[in-house]
Amino acid sequence: MAEEEEDEKDGEERHADAKEMGDPDMHMDGLEEEDDEEEEEEDYDNGDALEDTTAIKDVQDKAFEEVKFPQETVEEVQQAWSTFISTSGSREAAGQSLFGALFDAAPSLQPLFKTPRAIMAMRLINGFGTIVSNVGQPAALKTCTETQGFQHLDLEVTVPRVVIFRDAIIDMLEMECQLTSKAKSGWRSLLNYVGGAFIYVRINYSERLKVIASSWATANNKVQELEEEDGSGGGSKTQNDDDEDGNSEGDEGEDREEDVGAYNEDNVMKGKGKGKGKFKGKTESKTESEEGEHGRRGKSGKHTTMKVFEDIVQNISNSYRLQEACDTLSLSLAKYKGTIDLAEFKAVMLASLRSLVPADWGSQHEVAWSWLWENVERMLKSHMGKPRSHEKALERFIMRLTEDDVNYLRRELYKSFFALAPAGQDYFKQSTTRLYWIADKVVEMTIEMYRDPKTKVDELSALGLRHVGYGVLTDFFASYVTGAVQVVKTMTSETQAQDGFQWSLGLMARILVRTINEGSTVVMQAVNANSEKSLRKAVKVAPRGRRATEMLNITVGTQSISPLYWAIESGSLNTAKAMIADLLVIRADRDNYYYGAMDLFERHPDIIHRLCVDAPDLLTTLLDGLIWRSRVASNGSRRVNFYIKYLIQDMQSQFNAALEWLVDFHDPKIICHPVVELFSDLLWTNLANRSFLLGRLYFMATLIVFICAQAIIPHMNGNKESMGERIATFACRCLVYLVSMGQLCALQIRSLCQNVKDRDFVELSVGIKVPQYLFSVKEVAYLCLLLCLVIMCTQEPIWYCLGEPDMELFTQNCYDAESHKEAYATISMLAMLLYWMLMLDLTIVSMRLSAYMLVCTRLMDELGLYLGGVVFLVTTFASSISVLNQAVSQFESVASGLASLVQIAFRMFPGDYFDELHTEVALRMAVSIFIVASTIFMLNLLVAQLNAAYDYVYADMLGYARLNRGGVIVSTMATMQQKRWNAFLHFMQFDRRLEFNEGDIGVAGGIQILEPSNANPTTVDMIVRYGGTTSPSMPWPEDENLDVDDDDKMERLEKGVGRVMKKIMSIGEGGAKGKKGGSSAGGSSEGGSSIGSE
């Protein structure tokens, strides 16, 4: 405190000394000050803007009015600021320099800087940039200064402190960009004005804002208590009481509940608490109860006003935000066709607040709330009545536009914009047609803003958040609006249309700028730069309790954006990878563990799907982060925690689609990741295994019945069939036709209906649409089996023998059946093959068997190529040999030659036939060449191909086997009973906190297993532990062991050398000027002395 008082005293002395010593920027005598004070008071009373900057030689904390700086001063101030930004290299570097100057100005004031350095630097550069850009506009300068003053209400801003900060800023600017005397004077006057405004706002407005905030919170809490009492007391009412009160209070209570529910729904994305917004329902109920006195003419207006009233109360200290809310409200009120009496709402508002805050209500509350509503009412009345006429005029203008007018508007808009802001050309990189489309949307939204303001505000908020990701400077919006308005003014002379377009477009620009400013966090800047280093700097200053939220959610109004998803979408994969890695690091202090896995899956339940589609390389990073391994081994094993809760279940405790997404991704390496292996094996062992085997056993029983009916019973006694055998055959075949064929038919109908319902068809090149399910080999096999059974049923010999007289019952041997037996037997063989082929699903019970089967399937391609080559050789040589003049019967025609050469290729040709070739030299040579090509070359080539293909497939065969099992698990889980699923979740106990090491209870959400200590050896503790404070609001301490990049070291060195060189140059220039001045003074002195001596 002594040091702080000393700094303040030093500031006061410097302030006084500057006046006494005739400082060129503070050159007032006492008499002139007294005269000027009377004139200034007169000006303040009249509300006129101050015209002379000499009136701001000191910190003006007694009044706060508009001030008009001379144009030369404005230009000098803005030029100095632009030079400072360009000299620093970037806005971030300029903010750091500004922060450093203020931070080092007075050590005793350093505790005031509670915000992290990076965030504070950004706020400083944005705040000063806004003030400097508006220095030539008195009204805008006052508004932005007032807004900044509201943000400093919690700080004790005093005149000495303002002087310290002012001098520090001016010294820094003078050192960085060599201020001229006029620029220095302008900056001193501007900072005096801003600092005095901060003091004035704090003294005059802070109490009112505190009163409004406290009474608003009390009113919300009171309404919540009343509603809880109503809910608890409702059960004690008698039936008669309900009947009596039903008509008098039922409608009112229903309206109140509906309004509060609608409010909470509208604010779901804002994250409001349950008690927020309760005052709205209470006020509306009181409004309706007093309608007998005030009438119903303002009901709609009051209802619309109440929807944004909380927004107005919360932003009363932000002039820009308050003006935006009032402008949007005026558009909604314009839809009401009756008369709106805003004073009536004020009376109802005060009456409701008095009843909700009876104990604390006093004159201060009356003054504060009246002041609030007077400001709102003034803003609303300034525009009331205009939106309707603006909308009609603007609609007439747009409807009259011809195609040539539209093209002119598109073309001239961008010409004007690029003339006003040439740097904008670097951001508009799209094609001309895209820019024209944007211009069309802008014009369309100007009229839609009048028609549906609420929807458009939400859409603009979403659009603004997307522009945060684009890294667009907000300075361009003003130029874009100006350029568009200039073009529209050349196209119409109707003042109403011009004003309507300008006002609507200006409101849209303000909403976008506000959204971008609120959403432009340091994390989003790191994403735009795709810099891992910038991201680390951005999140290291975040409170440990909100570190994950900073990377997962930015909310502005009712809209939100995820920096992580934006990084993935924009291709900033380095930043996205750093985010995922940072989220999945387990950090700990003495009280709590912090692990971002739950926050990640809560914010993005589809993160697995998003990574599979847009960033597959990040899947390994995500899955690795779900594993914790102990570095301590005991008895040859170590503890391993797998945090797989949100891979198995979603937020509603239902089956998560993560496994389905991974199966559809079809990557054999990802599916073999230890995390995926573990949770898929858990699902298979505890749930899917049983259901799958039961289904397969049913299919196996059908196959056994089919074998008995077709291959065993009919051939037990040759062609002699006993009565029992015929009955058994008939029963088995009827069972196959009724049960198996019926089940297959139902399966096909269900799949087809589902595809038709979902319109899931694939159009072939010939224009035919095929259901999606038929692109599965398994489903096609089922369809073929169904067709085979249907044909068998139509060709069944037993049916044809039933009508034959004098024939044994259920016999197959009759005259009418003979013509159908051949087709029946052939189709029966195909059905048998399909049955056994479909039984191959059972191999997934064993991963080894399944992998072997998949290897065989994969190598079929090579075998097919070999057979294709053999067919080509056989056809070529058979057709060639047939033209020879030879007498060997095995090669006398193409058909016989084909048969003989196929037998030779597969070593089935009888050896005796080769003796006949000795007499035919040409035939013998041709056959010899064929043998060499087909048997020696093609067969050895097949062996080589199989070896190479096996080596390629072998590495991933287990992965493909797991993909098959995963598909079965997904299809089985779709029909899983809820009771079994709930029992499985209860068995897993995911909510139980897992132990890291002995006695160290960690975070929940997974399972713990023991693995051999030599399986994945690690010597580093995977939990990052910190000492010091355990407050969730404090950031994590900087990791001293974190290696600093060489680029960082060089950057620091360059900055240090640059600062030293600037200081040396400034000292050298000052010394040269002093030496020159001293020489001149010395010369004069010598001259005077000589004259005197003479």
Side-chain angles (χ1 to χ4, degrees):
M1 291 298 295
E3 188 178 359
E4 182 176 347
E5 291 176 359
E6 183 179 347
D7 286 335
E8 292 188 2
K9 184 177 180 182
D10 181 55
E12 290 176 350
E13 290 176 354
R14 281 190 288 169
H15 188 64
D17 291 344
K19 294 171 63 176
E20 292 175 3
M21 294 174 64
D23 191 304
D25 295 321
M26 294 180 145
H27 67 289
M28 283 187 178
D29 327 317
L31 293 175
E32 290 178 345
E33 279 188 356
E34 291 178 1
D35 294 336
D36 287 343
E37 282 176 4
E38 294 179 2
E39 294 177 3
E40 288 169 13
E41 288 176 2
E42 227 174 302
D43 289 337
Y44 292 142
D45 292 338
N46 295 333
D48 296 331
L50 299 174
E51 297 290 342
D52 188 6
T53 55
T54 58
I56 318 179
K57 295 304 179 182
D58 296 329
V59 178
Q60 301 290 331
D61 60 340
K62 303 302 181 184
F64 179 39
E65 297 293 339
E66 296 179 4
V67 60
K68 184 176 181 181
F69 289 92
Q71 186 61 31
E72 294 181 358
T73 302
V74 171
E75 293 175 356
E76 289 287 343
V77 168
Q78 293 179 342
Q79 179 62 36
W81 181 253
S82 300
T83 304
F84 169 61
I85 297 293
S86 61
T87 303
S88 300
S90 66
R91 293 174 60 86
E92 290 77 10
Q96 293 287 348
S97 301
L98 196 57
F99 179 88
L102 296 176
F103 192 79
D104 298 335
S108 62
L109 301 182
Q110 291 178 0
L112 297 176
F113 295 88
K114 301 176 182 178
T115 308
R117 183 185 185 98
I119 297 177
M120 191 63 191
M122 185 177 66
R123 289 181 181 176
L124 285 171
I125 202 67
N126 290 337
F128 275 101
T130 303
I131 291 173
V132 171
S133 63
N134 293 311
V135 69
Q137 307 172 34
L141 178 61
K142 182 184 176 184
T143 301
C144 68
T145 303
E146 184 180 37
T147 302
Q148 294 289 333
F150 282 129
Q151 297 174 3
H152 290 75
L153 291 175
D154 58 332
L155 300 176
E156 188 178 354
V157 185
T158 61
V159 173
R161 288 181 174 180
V162 171
V163 171
I164 293 173
F165 277 59
R166 179 199 66 193
D167 294 344
I169 293 172
I170 292 176
D171 291 344
M172 182 204 65
L173 290 174
E174 191 170 16
M175 185 181 70
E176 294 287 340
C177 49
Q178 301 298 322
L179 292 178
T180 63
S181 59
K182 186 164 291 188
K184 184 175 181 180
S185 175
W187 270 99
R188 186 180 297 275
S189 299
L190 177 61
L191 294 174
N192 283 336
Y193 172 74
V194 173
F198 284 7
I199 299 172
Y200 181 86
V201 169
R202 182 175 180 274
I203 294 173
N204 291 274
Y205 294 158
S206 60
E207 289 301 322
R208 291 182 183 179
L209 297 177
K210 289 178 182 178
V211 167
I212 291 173
S214 62
S215 56
W216 180 252
T218 304
N220 281 306
N221 293 333
K222 182 66 175 177
V223 171
Q224 186 176 4
E225 292 174 5
L226 291 175
E227 288 186 351
E228 291 175 355
E229 290 177 5
D230 291 342
S232 61
S236 62
K237 262 191 172 184
T238 64
Q239 184 66 33
N240 293 335
D241 292 337
D242 291 338
D243 293 339
E244 291 174 2
D245 298 339
N247 295 331
S248 61
E249 296 179 357
D251 295 339
E252 178 183 334
E254 185 178 353
D255 289 343
R256 179 172 67 243
E257 184 178 355
E258 182 182 355
D259 292 337
V260 174
Y263 174 83
N264 288 336
E265 183 179 353
D266 289 342
N267 287 278
V268 166
M269 296 299 292
K270 294 182 182 180
K272 302 293 182 186
K274 203 171 183 182
K276 298 288 186 182
K278 300 285 186 175
F279 168 66
K280 181 184 73 167
K282 182 71 176 177
T283 307
E284 288 188 5
S285 64
K286 292 185 73 65
T287 301
E288 294 190 7
S289 66
E290 298 180 14
E291 279 181 355
E293 178 181 353
H294 297 288
R296 301 182 61 86
R297 54 185 178 158
K299 179 178 178 181
S300 177
K302 290 188 290 290
H303 179 77
T304 305
T305 304
M306 288 309 305
K307 285 188 175 180
V308 295
F309 190 73
E310 181 173 5
D311 207 20
I312 290 174
V313 172
Q314 291 178 343
N315 293 287
I316 186 62
S317 61
N318 189 332
S319 303
Y320 285 111
R321 188 69 179 87
L322 181 63
Q323 182 66 56
E324 178 190 317
C326 291
D327 288 345
T328 306
L329 179 59
S330 67
L331 292 176
S332 300
L333 293 178
K335 299 300 177 184
Y336 178 61
K337 296 182 180 179
T339 304
I340 298 175
D341 188 359
L342 296 177
E344 179 183 342
F345 180 86
K346 176 183 177 182
V348 177
M349 177 192 72
L350 292 175
S352 300
L353 286 167
R354 290 191 200 101
S355 64
L356 294 171
V357 196
D360 301 330
W361 193 265
S363 58
Q364 288 184 336
H365 294 77
E366 291 280 347
V367 171
W369 283 97
S370 298
W371 168 74
L372 180 147
W373 186 251
E374 286 169 2
N375 287 329
V376 174
E377 187 175 0
R378 183 180 68 252
M379 293 181 180
L380 291 175
K381 285 184 176 180
S382 65
H383 197 66
M384 191 167 290
K386 296 179 181 179
R388 202 172 297 171
S389 59
H390 284 169
E391 180 182 355
K392 293 179 179 179
L394 184 57
E395 187 173 5
R396 286 195 302 270
F397 165 70
I398 294 176
M399 294 301 294
R400 287 198 300 262
L401 292 176
T402 63
E403 188 65 28
D404 292 338
D405 294 334
V406 173
N407 289 329
Y408 172 80
L409 176 60
R410 295 168 175 171
R411 186 173 58 255
E412 294 300 321
L413 189 154
Y414 287 103
K415 282 186 179 180
S416 179
F417 168 62
F418 292 144
L420 293 169
Q425 298 180 66
D426 298 332
Y427 289 86
F428 284 85
K429 303 175 183 178
Q430 299 88 351
S431 64
T432 304
T433 55
R434 173 69 177 176
L435 296 182
Y436 285 176
W437 180 85
I438 294 174
D440 293 343
K441 294 296 292 184
V442 168
V443 175
E444 179 184 341
M445 292 181 73
T446 55
I447 188 64
E448 291 295 331
M449 195 70 189
Y450 288 102
R451 294 172 179 170
D452 190 3
K454 184 179 183 301
T455 302
K456 286 303 161 187
V457 168
D458 291 342
E459 291 179 0
L460 287 169
S461 297
L463 182 63
L465 285 175
R466 292 189 66 82
H467 279 74
V468 171
Y470 299 144
V472 177
L473 297 178
T474 55
D475 302 341
F476 295 138
F477 284 92
S479 301
Y480 194 92
V481 171
T482 302
V485 171
Q486 288 176 356
V487 175
V488 169
K489 286 183 177 180
T490 64
M491 299 177 66
T492 179
S493 59
E494 188 177 357
T495 306
Q496 289 285 355
Q498 295 176 1
D499 294 344
F501 182 82
Q502 181 175 357
W503 188 88
S504 177
L505 188 57
L507 177 59
M508 290 163 50
R510 279 185 283 141
I511 294 173
L512 288 172
V513 169
R514 186 256 307 170
T515 306
I516 293 173
N517 288 335
E518 292 179 6
S520 296
T521 63
V522 287
V523 174
M524 287 300 292
Q525 293 177 2
V527 170
N528 294 334
N530 193 20
S531 171
E532 215 175 315
K533 181 177 68 175
S534 299
L535 179 70
R536 288 198 301 267
K537 291 181 179 179
V539 298
K540 76 178 181 181
V541 298
R544 61 188 67 178
R546 286 188 50 82
R547 187 182 181 107
T549 306
E550 294 285 335
M551 292 181 282
L552 294 174
N553 190 27
I554 297 175
T555 301
V556 177
T558 60
Q559 304 297 319
S560 64
I561 189 174
S562 168
L564 174 59
Y565 267 23
W566 181 257
I568 295 173
E569 183 178 342
S570 61
S572 301
L573 297 185
N574 290 337
T575 309
K577 183 177 181 179
M579 285 185 185
I580 294 175
D582 189 88
L583 286 168
L584 299 180
V585 171
I586 303 177
R587 296 179 176 85
D589 51 33
R590 293 186 303 276
D591 293 342
N592 300 302
Y593 281 98
Y594 295 87
Y595 186 41
M598 180 177 178
D599 298 307
L600 175 60
F601 284 100
E602 279 186 349
R603 180 69 174 94
H604 301 303
D606 61 338
I607 181 65
I608 298 293
H609 180 253
R610 191 62 179 269
L611 294 181
C612 287
V613 173
D614 295 329
D617 294 339
L618 302 185
L619 276 171
T620 304
T621 303
L622 174 63
L623 296 174
D624 288 343
L626 300 177
I627 303 175
W628 171 86
R629 284 188 172 88
S630 174
R631 64 186 178 91
V632 179
S634 177
N635 297 324
S637 61
R638 72 174 73 249
R639 302 183 189 214
V640 183
N641 292 351
F642 290 85
Y643 294 95
I644 57 175
K645 175 181 178 180
Y646 293 108
L647 295 177
I648 293 179
Q649 68 177 73
D650 57 18
M651 295 303 156
Q652 290 73 39
S653 297
Q654 299 300 317
F655 178 63
N656 199 311
L659 183 59
E660 180 179 359
W661 294 327
L662 291 171
V663 170
D664 292 341
F665 184 48
H666 214 70
D667 187 337
K669 291 183 172 57
I670 289 296
I671 205 70
C672 288
H673 192 279
V675 171
V676 183
E677 279 189 9
L678 179 63
F679 87 82
S680 61
D681 286 346
L682 284 173
L683 291 171
W684 171 257
T685 305
N686 295 280
L687 292 172
N689 190 359
R690 175 184 168 188
S691 300
F692 172 75
L693 289 179
L694 288 176
R696 291 293 91 188
L697 288 175
Y698 174 81
F699 192 80
M700 183 182 293
T702 306
L703 173 59
I704 293 173
V705 172
F706 187 75
I707 294 173
C708 291
Q710 302 300 130
I712 297 178
I713 298 177
H715 303 289
M716 290 180 65
N717 295 318
N719 293 327
K720 298 179 180 180
E721 296 178 331
S722 64
M723 185 64 181
E725 292 174 357
R726 292 197 301 272
I727 293 175
T729 300
F730 178 76
C732 289
R733 292 185 180 181
C734 287
L735 192 63
V736 170
Y737 297 145
L738 293 175
V739 178
S740 181
M741 189 172 69
Q743 182 191 23
L744 292 172
C745 185
L747 177 64
Q748 294 297 315
I749 293 174
R750 190 185 309 117
S751 300
L752 180 61
C753 291
Q754 186 64 40
N755 281 165
V756 172
K757 180 182 178 181
D758 299 338
R759 296 182 179 179
D760 194 1
F761 292 90
V762 177
E763 187 172 355
L764 302 179
S765 57
V766 294
I768 301 175
K769 292 186 177 180
V770 180
Q772 176 65 41
Y773 83 97
L774 291 179
F775 284 84
S776 169
V777 176
K778 184 178 178 181
E779 295 295 336
V780 172
Y782 276 125
L783 179 59
C784 292
L785 178 58
L786 174 61
L787 295 177
C788 289
L789 293 179
V790 170
I791 296 173
M792 287 175 61
C793 186
T794 60
Q795 301 295 319
E796 176 60 54
I798 296 177
W799 306 149
Y800 293 96
C801 293
L802 286 176
E804 289 286 336
D806 301 330
M807 296 300 296
E808 295 177 339
L809 184 64
F810 303 140
T811 183
Q812 305 179 58
N813 301 314
C814 64
Y815 178 77
D816 292 340
E818 290 299 326
S819 60
H820 300 281
K821 281 187 176 180
E822 189 65 30
Y824 181 82
T826 304
I827 300 300
S828 178
M829 181 193 69
L830 294 177
M832 188 73 71
L833 291 174
L834 289 171
Y835 264 116
W836 282 109
M837 187 185 301
L838 290 169
M839 284 300 299
L840 289 176
D841 278 352
L842 280 174
T843 57
I844 67 170
V845 175
S846 168
M847 284 292 96
R848 187 174 181 182
L849 283 177
S850 181
Y852 178 76
M853 189 269 293
L854 286 172
V855 169
C856 295
T857 304
R858 298 276 173 170
L859 296 182
M860 286 295 179
D861 294 339
E862 307 302 328
L863 181 60
L865 292 174
Y866 165 74
L867 293 176
V870 170
V871 168
F872 175 78
L873 289 175
V874 168
T875 305
T876 302
F877 279 89
S879 58
S880 301
I881 292 174
S882 63
V883 289
L884 290 176
N885 186 14
Q886 45 86 21
V888 179
S889 60
Q890 287 81 9
F891 298 95
E892 63 183 359
S893 65
V894 175
S896 59
L898 286 173
S900 299
L901 291 177
V902 168
Q903 291 177 346
I904 293 173
F906 295 109
R907 300 183 180 181
M908 299 167 59
F909 194 71
D912 297 339
Y913 291 169
F914 283 104
D915 296 337
E916 301 180 10
L917 302 180
H918 292 296
T919 59
E920 301 290 343
V921 178
L923 177 60
R924 185 173 56 184
M925 291 181 61
V927 172
S928 300
I929 294 173
F930 174 78
I931 292 174
V932 171
S934 63
T935 305
I936 299 176
F937 177 74
M938 292 294 296
L939 192 59
N940 284 282
L941 180 61
L942 173 63
V943 174
Q945 287 288 96
L946 290 176
N947 282 329
Y950 182 82
D951 290 339
Y952 176 77
V953 173
Y954 179 79
D956 296 329
M957 66 178 181
L958 190 60
Y960 287 113
R962 287 198 167 274
L963 285 172
N964 278 352
R965 176 183 281 187
V968 172
I969 294 173
V970 171
S971 60
T972 305
M973 292 301 299
T975 59
M976 184 62 58
Q977 296 179 355
Q978 187 65 36
K979 182 178 180 181
R980 286 196 64 200
W981 173 252
N982 293 337
F984 169 71
L985 293 182
H986 178 72
F987 169 74
M988 295 306 300
Q989 295 183 349
F990 285 129
D991 294 331
R992 179 174 54 88
R993 297 174 64 186
L994 301 180
E995 191 176 45
F996 287 127
N997 289 313
E998 189 174 0
D1000 186 6
I1001 307 300
V1003 296
I1007 63 172
Q1008 185 175 99
I1009 65 171
L1010 295 176
E1011 70 175 15
S1013 57
N1014 59 354
N1016 295 283
T1018 178
T1019 58
V1020 179
D1021 190 356
M1022 297 182 68
I1023 303 175
V1024 183
R1025 302 182 182 274
Y1026 296 92
T1029 179
T1030 62
S1031 173
S1033 61
M1034 295 298 294
W1036 294 108
E1038 293 189 22
D1039 192 353
E1040 297 179 356
N1041 297 324
L1042 187 63
D1043 294 333
V1044 181
D1045 297 339
D1046 293 338
D1047 293 340
D1048 292 342
K1049 295 178 180 178
M1050 290 301 299
E1051 185 178 352
R1052 293 179 184 178
L1053 181 61
E1054 289 175 359
K1055 287 184 177 180
V1057 172
R1059 284 195 294 267
V1060 171
M1061 291 301 297
K1062 286 181 180 179
K1063 188 171 290 188
I1064 292 174
M1065 291 175 64
S1066 61
I1067 293 174
E1069 291 177 0
K1073 290 181 180 179
K1075 185 176 181 180
K1076 183 177 179 181
S1079 300
S1080 301
S1084 301
S1085 175
E1086 287 176 5
S1089 127
S1090 62
I1091 292 171
S1093 62
E1094 290 176 357

